[in-house]
Amino acid sequence: MNGMDPQTLTELLDVSVLDRLDRIEDLPADELARSSALRKEGYSAEVTAGLLTQAQLRKDAVKKLGPFAEDMLFTRDGLAQATRLPVAAHHARRLLGEGKDTGGDADDTGESADSAPTIADLGCGIGADSFAFAGMGAQVTAVDADEVTAAIASFNLRHLANASVEHARAEDIDTTDFDALWFDPARRTVGKGSKSGSTARIFDPEDFSPSLSWVIDKAIAAKAAGVKLGPALDHSLIPDEAEAQWVSHAGEVVEVCLYFGTARQRPGRSALVMGDRTLLVHEDDLPAEDEEGVGELGQYLLEPDGAIVRAGLVTALCGPLQARRVHPKIAYLTTDVEPTGPASAGVTSYEVTDVLPAKIPSLRKALISRGIGKVVIKKRGADIVPDQVRRQLKLPAGDKATLVFTRLGDRHVVLLTQPC
Ligand SMILES: C[S@@+](CC[C@H](N)C(=O)[O-])C[C@H]1O[C@@H](n2cnc3c(N)ncnc32)[C@H](O)[C@@H]1O
């Protein structure tokens, strides 16, 4: 899965090569110039390529892992699949806060109730989740079936004395030895016959590695467990024993996590919005079905955060935001008052300035007459391709607006809006 052979990794792990990587910004930024400077210094073509790749991956990784990235190694796939650090810290809190079993077992074995809880990270990748678990005090055993990935995780966790890495298959680990289990099964595979090493998404959960049924069996049997999966997970695959929590970070839906045992806070579905502000919405916050109001378009259109939409919890925002749906099947809300307060972290708000026809010629005319020349296009419940529409509109220069293609009752309309 990793796109790096073990020999290249061994060469990269040489102290002098790592030192060169840490000082790579001393060289010209231009890749060709940088490459020839490294070759002149005596590095082989493979090590030079490895250094350039690692330098780029470190830069890319800062977005996910902050400044820690500058001291880490990556594979391209490993970085793509790595958990963002604030989200990994949330996983750690769930497994540690509620996952720490200070009850029977500790007393029976004579262990102090204060000893660090043990966590097995079964499919640790480059080690982002393990980094958070160990950084927050757990005794971590990180396991990966891929040799290069396990070696990279070892390197990345080297400063954390309470983390160790094993190159092994999760299926061969005795999971009963741990206070908590963490699973982030591989859901992408190297494209068959692909020279670029590009990966393809796996759709059948039984083809995840380890398979979802194996993971769920182990998670149900554990004292505490978390399972990270893709946000498009079919709701019918969520076991009754789990809490399913969809998470967005900085406006992007990043995962659904299934929590079991003492890591589970409230059974059912929840959505956690993480970013400048945090919001937790739970299935228990949903109004009764007969109170799920659909109503007239108000002055504001609210676009719920993707985690809330994926969790099926859009109407849980209606009460706190004094909002109603624009359509029973469309995930937009509307209100007459601009959202404020904690629940406003769960929506992006737009002020509606007009309702325009959805047919392109009439829409074009209406936009030009209002001086609109630049549009951001959003859609829900409308069968359009935004880029195509933008090309068809061919607007002359003018003001900027957000167009929302949607439905009000049976009518297809375009809402002319401005972000609040
Ligand atoms: C999605 S990545 C984990 C990412 C990790 N949570 C992080 O934040 O960096 C899944 C990892 O599982 C590993 N893997 C796949 N099958 C495995 C198995 N049967 N046992 C152990 N590891 C496995 C892959 O090599 C890959 O590194």
Side-chain angles (χ1 to χ4, degrees), residues 1-2 121-125 142-151 165-173 186 209-210:
M1 56 96 40
N2 59 69
D121 181 356
L122 299 166
C124 65
V143 175
D144 204 283
D146 181 77
E147 184 187 358
V148 167
T149 305
V165 180
E166 286 182 32
H167 169 215
R169 279 163 44 85
E171 295 88 332
D172 298 332
I173 301 294
S209 187

Short mmCIF file of all heavy atoms in Angstrom, two decimals, residues 1-2 121-125 142-151 165-173 186 209-210:
data_model
loop_
_atom_site.label_atom_id
_atom_site.label_comp_id
_atom_site.label_asym_id
_atom_site.label_seq_id
_atom_site.Cartn_x
_atom_site.Cartn_y
_atom_site.Cartn_z
N MET A 1 0.80 -1.22 0.00
CA MET A 1 0.00 0.00 0.00
C MET A 1 0.83 1.27 0.00
O MET A 1 0.33 2.36 -0.15
CB MET A 1 -0.96 0.04 1.21
CG MET A 1 -0.37 -0.10 2.55
SD MET A 1 0.05 1.26 3.63
CE MET A 1 -1.17 2.47 3.55
N ASN A 2 2.16 1.15 0.23
CA ASN A 2 2.86 2.34 0.67
C ASN A 2 3.67 3.09 -0.36
O ASN A 2 4.05 4.23 -0.14
CB ASN A 2 3.78 1.97 1.82
CG ASN A 2 4.75 0.91 1.36
OD1 ASN A 2 5.62 1.18 0.57
ND2 ASN A 2 4.56 -0.31 1.83
N ASP A 121 -3.66 -0.28 18.86
CA ASP A 121 -4.08 0.42 17.63
C ASP A 121 -3.82 -0.57 16.49
O ASP A 121 -2.68 -0.77 16.07
CB ASP A 121 -3.25 1.71 17.48
CG ASP A 121 -3.62 2.51 16.24
OD1 ASP A 121 -4.46 2.05 15.44
OD2 ASP A 121 -3.07 3.62 16.07
N LEU A 122 -4.91 -1.23 16.04
CA LEU A 122 -4.75 -2.40 15.16
C LEU A 122 -4.90 -2.01 13.69
O LEU A 122 -5.97 -2.16 13.11
CB LEU A 122 -5.75 -3.47 15.59
CG LEU A 122 -5.50 -3.93 17.04
CD1 LEU A 122 -6.67 -4.72 17.59
CD2 LEU A 122 -4.23 -4.74 17.14
N GLY A 123 -3.81 -1.57 13.11
CA GLY A 123 -3.79 -1.03 11.75
C GLY A 123 -3.43 0.44 11.89
O GLY A 123 -4.19 1.32 11.54
N CYS A 124 -2.22 0.68 12.44
CA CYS A 124 -1.87 2.03 12.95
C CYS A 124 -1.45 2.99 11.85
O CYS A 124 -1.35 4.20 12.10
CB CYS A 124 -0.77 1.92 13.99
SG CYS A 124 0.80 1.33 13.32
N GLY A 125 -1.18 2.51 10.63
CA GLY A 125 -0.71 3.42 9.58
C GLY A 125 0.57 4.12 10.01
O GLY A 125 1.41 3.53 10.70
N ALA A 142 1.05 -0.28 18.85
CA ALA A 142 0.59 0.05 17.50
C ALA A 142 1.03 -1.08 16.57
O ALA A 142 2.16 -1.52 16.62
CB ALA A 142 1.21 1.37 17.06
N VAL A 143 0.07 -1.53 15.75
CA VAL A 143 0.32 -2.72 14.92
C VAL A 143 -0.01 -2.39 13.48
O VAL A 143 -1.05 -1.80 13.21
CB VAL A 143 -0.60 -3.87 15.40
CG1 VAL A 143 -0.48 -5.09 14.49
CG2 VAL A 143 -0.31 -4.23 16.86
N ASP A 144 0.89 -2.76 12.55
CA ASP A 144 0.53 -2.60 11.14
C ASP A 144 1.08 -3.79 10.36
O ASP A 144 2.19 -4.26 10.60
CB ASP A 144 1.05 -1.28 10.55
CG ASP A 144 0.22 -0.87 9.33
OD1 ASP A 144 0.41 -1.46 8.24
OD2 ASP A 144 -0.66 0.02 9.48
N ALA A 145 0.27 -4.26 9.41
CA ALA A 145 0.63 -5.44 8.62
C ALA A 145 1.65 -5.11 7.54
O ALA A 145 2.27 -6.01 6.98
CB ALA A 145 -0.63 -6.03 7.98
N ASP A 146 1.80 -3.84 7.23
CA ASP A 146 2.72 -3.45 6.16
C ASP A 146 4.08 -3.09 6.77
O ASP A 146 4.17 -2.24 7.67
CB ASP A 146 2.14 -2.26 5.40
CG ASP A 146 3.05 -1.84 4.26
OD1 ASP A 146 3.04 -2.52 3.23
OD2 ASP A 146 3.79 -0.84 4.43
N GLU A 147 5.13 -3.72 6.25
CA GLU A 147 6.46 -3.60 6.85
C GLU A 147 6.96 -2.14 6.87
O GLU A 147 7.41 -1.64 7.90
CB GLU A 147 7.42 -4.48 6.05
CG GLU A 147 8.81 -4.54 6.61
CD GLU A 147 9.77 -5.30 5.68
OE1 GLU A 147 9.31 -5.81 4.63
OE2 GLU A 147 10.96 -5.36 6.03
N VAL A 148 6.88 -1.48 5.71
CA VAL A 148 7.39 -0.11 5.63
C VAL A 148 6.56 0.82 6.51
O VAL A 148 7.09 1.66 7.23
CB VAL A 148 7.39 0.36 4.15
CG1 VAL A 148 7.61 1.86 4.05
CG2 VAL A 148 8.46 -0.39 3.36
N THR A 149 5.23 0.65 6.48
CA THR A 149 4.36 1.51 7.28
C THR A 149 4.65 1.33 8.77
O THR A 149 4.72 2.32 9.52
CB THR A 149 2.88 1.20 6.97
OG1 THR A 149 2.70 1.32 5.56
CG2 THR A 149 1.93 2.15 7.66
N ALA A 150 4.85 0.06 9.19
CA ALA A 150 5.15 -0.18 10.61
C ALA A 150 6.48 0.48 10.99
O ALA A 150 6.59 1.09 12.07
CB ALA A 150 5.20 -1.68 10.88
N ALA A 151 7.46 0.42 10.10
CA ALA A 151 8.77 1.04 10.40
C ALA A 151 8.63 2.56 10.49
O ALA A 151 9.23 3.20 11.36
CB ALA A 151 9.78 0.66 9.31
N VAL A 165 5.75 -0.37 18.49
CA VAL A 165 5.12 -0.74 17.22
C VAL A 165 5.48 -2.18 16.88
O VAL A 165 6.62 -2.61 17.05
CB VAL A 165 5.59 0.20 16.09
CG1 VAL A 165 4.95 -0.18 14.76
CG2 VAL A 165 5.25 1.66 16.42
N GLU A 166 4.49 -2.91 16.41
CA GLU A 166 4.73 -4.29 15.94
C GLU A 166 4.36 -4.39 14.47
O GLU A 166 3.29 -3.89 14.07
CB GLU A 166 3.85 -5.28 16.71
CG GLU A 166 4.32 -5.51 18.12
CD GLU A 166 3.45 -6.54 18.83
OE1 GLU A 166 2.93 -7.48 18.18
OE2 GLU A 166 3.26 -6.37 20.05
N HIS A 167 5.21 -5.06 13.71
CA HIS A 167 4.86 -5.38 12.33
C HIS A 167 4.12 -6.72 12.37
O HIS A 167 4.74 -7.78 12.50
CB HIS A 167 6.13 -5.47 11.46
CG HIS A 167 5.87 -6.04 10.11
ND1 HIS A 167 6.77 -6.84 9.44
CD2 HIS A 167 4.79 -5.93 9.30
CE1 HIS A 167 6.25 -7.20 8.29
NE2 HIS A 167 5.06 -6.67 8.18
N ALA A 168 2.79 -6.68 12.33
CA ALA A 168 2.00 -7.91 12.46
C ALA A 168 0.61 -7.65 11.91
O ALA A 168 0.21 -6.50 11.69
CB ALA A 168 1.89 -8.31 13.93
N ARG A 169 -0.12 -8.74 11.70
CA ARG A 169 -1.52 -8.61 11.31
C ARG A 169 -2.38 -8.45 12.57
O ARG A 169 -2.14 -9.14 13.56
CB ARG A 169 -1.96 -9.86 10.54
CG ARG A 169 -1.55 -9.88 9.06
CD ARG A 169 -1.64 -11.28 8.50
NE ARG A 169 -2.86 -11.98 8.89
CZ ARG A 169 -4.03 -11.87 8.26
NH1 ARG A 169 -4.14 -11.12 7.19
NH2 ARG A 169 -5.08 -12.54 8.69
N ALA A 170 -3.36 -7.58 12.51
CA ALA A 170 -4.25 -7.37 13.65
C ALA A 170 -4.86 -8.70 14.10
O ALA A 170 -5.02 -8.95 15.30
CB ALA A 170 -5.35 -6.39 13.25
N GLU A 171 -5.17 -9.55 13.12
CA GLU A 171 -5.86 -10.81 13.40
C GLU A 171 -5.00 -11.74 14.26
O GLU A 171 -5.50 -12.69 14.86
CB GLU A 171 -6.23 -11.52 12.09
CG GLU A 171 -7.25 -10.78 11.21
CD GLU A 171 -6.64 -9.77 10.24
OE1 GLU A 171 -5.56 -9.22 10.54
OE2 GLU A 171 -7.26 -9.52 9.19
N ASP A 172 -3.68 -11.47 14.32
CA ASP A 172 -2.79 -12.34 15.09
C ASP A 172 -2.49 -11.78 16.48
O ASP A 172 -1.65 -12.32 17.21
CB ASP A 172 -1.46 -12.55 14.32
CG ASP A 172 -1.70 -13.25 12.99
OD1 ASP A 172 -2.70 -14.02 12.92
OD2 ASP A 172 -0.94 -13.02 12.03
N ILE A 173 -3.15 -10.69 16.86
CA ILE A 173 -2.89 -10.07 18.17
C ILE A 173 -3.94 -10.55 19.16
O ILE A 173 -5.12 -10.65 18.82
CB ILE A 173 -2.97 -8.52 18.04
CG1 ILE A 173 -1.95 -8.00 17.02
CG2 ILE A 173 -2.81 -7.83 19.38
CD1 ILE A 173 -0.49 -8.18 17.38
N ALA A 186 -8.14 -0.54 6.71
CA ALA A 186 -7.78 0.01 5.39
C ALA A 186 -8.99 -0.14 4.49
O ALA A 186 -9.55 -1.23 4.33
CB ALA A 186 -6.58 -0.74 4.84
N SER A 209 -9.62 -4.14 5.40
CA SER A 209 -8.60 -4.95 6.04
C SER A 209 -8.20 -4.32 7.37
O SER A 209 -7.69 -3.21 7.38
CB SER A 209 -7.37 -5.06 5.13
OG SER A 209 -6.45 -5.96 5.68
N PRO A 210 -8.47 -5.00 8.51
CA PRO A 210 -9.24 -6.23 8.64
C PRO A 210 -10.71 -6.01 8.25
O PRO A 210 -11.16 -4.88 8.20
CB PRO A 210 -9.14 -6.56 10.14
CG PRO A 210 -8.10 -5.67 10.71
CD PRO A 210 -7.99 -4.48 9.82
#
